[in-house]
Amino acid sequence: MTKDSLIYDRLLLKNLLIQLLYWSGFFGVLFTTSTFLERLDTFVSNQATSVQIANYLFRQLPYWLWRSAPLAFLGACLTVLDNAARTGELTALESLGRSRYRICAPLFAGALALGILGACGAESRAPLFFRQARDYLNTRVKKKKQQTGPLINFVAKAGEGRYYAFAELAPDENRFSGFWMDEWDGPRHVKEVFAKSGWYDHQRNSWVLQEAAERRYPKQGGSDFSPQGVRLRVVPQLTLNLPETPQSLLPNSLYLDEMTIGEIRAQLKLLKQRGLAHRNFLSEYHHRRALPAAFFLMAIAAATVISVLPKKIFKGKLVLFGITIAVGLAYWFSLSLSKTLANYGVIDPVRAAWIPHAAWATLAILVRLIRPF
């Protein structure tokens, strides 16, 4: 490796970083504008100030920047390689015997750096910014009471189907309010328990309910709509001995894409222990683990596009933007398709996470060999 090679590598890396900042800024403005328009009715109806709107949009900006990072990296790679091709740098380097992939080595170094960043926590922690923005919208703009829930707890095993729901759990994870328990034995409705408030007794491992009501359904006959045989009692205090503790709760207020990898792993373990369906969690976990590899695929895609497509196609930044969006959408569609198939049990979740990456890498190699244009 000569000194001239290192100089050009540093130049290419510098240009890549500059273009990555430009493209990230573009997608940041795009997603921020889209979010603003989506929430415009909420801002107007709650008379939000410009400071509140700016705070809300700024809090979730890191989430959108990371989600669009693969697309921004693809656009940056295409721009850098297109500029090098226009100035004759690629032709000059290839005439010196360098392969196209050796010329693109700085791009792969950038992909490696971003992949390590994602694997070390960026991919996992990005949803936290989105959740913080949502909490800010609810508590400061909509002026709602901040809640830790609603929380639900699935405790089904084999054919048994019990379902517990808790409206709100206090931050100390002991006191709760708006308690509701709905118990089933297969298809039969067993009972419902309601309580205004209560607390968890750690010494006795029991749930103490205050101002509680219990409704029991008969073993035969009677239903939610037919009161025949249904027994109802209201008591000032009721104690339930359940195997679950407040720490066993699952937050249903979070969608899978809003959870960190650690949270997905913890709930996946809990679902497995209780014999519950967990394929969606397993699929999301492995897909999130595989996502940092997207930066390598974007670098390979950029090198393939510049090498294969006729140079007369590249006549401006709008063309590069169109190629970036087309390739990015096709890539994310393949990820979504494989995840859906994994959720329905058609493909193993681990394989489904890596099949799109392997397919795109194989496609890039075939296109380079066949060179259809």
Side-chain angles (χ1 to χ4, degrees), residues 221-269:
S223 65
D224 297 12
F225 307 100
S226 176
Q228 181 181 4
V230 177
R231 293 176 295 171
L232 176 66
R233 68 174 180 137
V234 180
V235 294
Q237 183 170 303
L238 179 66
T239 301
L240 296 177
N241 295 315
L242 303 175
E244 289 74 35
T245 67
Q247 287 73 25
S248 304
L249 300 179
L250 299 176
N252 79 318
S253 56
L254 300 179
Y255 295 101
L256 274 174
D257 56 356
E258 295 180 7
M259 300 171 65
T260 66
I261 293 179
E263 291 170 338
I264 294 176
R265 187 193 304 114
Q267 296 199 24
L268 182 60
K269 180 181 179 181

Side-chain angles (χ1 to χ4, degrees), residues 112-236:
L112 177 62
L114 290 173
I116 293 176
L117 180 64
C120 290
E123 176 60 38
S124 179
R125 298 188 63 83
L128 294 178
F129 293 97
F130 187 86
R131 284 153 55 176
Q132 291 172 2
R134 184 191 57 189
D135 291 340
Y136 181 86
L137 179 69
N138 290 332
T139 58
R140 301 297 295 276
V141 178
K142 295 182 179 180
K143 297 179 177 59
K144 291 183 178 180
K145 180 183 177 182
Q146 188 171 6
Q147 297 181 351
T148 56
L151 301 173
I152 61 175
N153 184 21
F154 293 93
V155 286
K157 290 185 178 180
E160 182 186 9
R162 294 191 303 163
Y163 173 79
Y164 301 96
F166 304 88
E168 183 179 353
L169 186 71
D172 60 5
E173 296 186 343
N174 287 324
R175 300 197 62 85
F176 51 86
S177 61
F179 179 91
W180 171 55
M181 184 187 81
D182 194 17
E183 184 174 349
W184 294 75
D185 183 10
R188 187 176 72 86
H189 205 172
V190 179
K191 68 178 180 180
E192 290 179 279
V193 178
F194 308 87
K196 185 176 181 180
S197 61
W199 69 89
Y200 182 76
D201 190 338
H202 289 275
Q203 294 181 347
R204 300 180 180 179
N205 296 324
S206 58
W207 296 81
V208 182
L209 311 181
Q210 293 179 312
E211 299 183 47
E214 182 184 53
R215 180 164 56 189
R216 286 185 173 271
Y217 296 92
K219 293 184 178 180
Q220 295 181 351
S223 65
D224 297 12
F225 307 100
S226 176
Q228 181 181 4
V230 177
R231 293 176 295 171
L232 176 66
R233 68 174 180 137
V234 180
V235 294

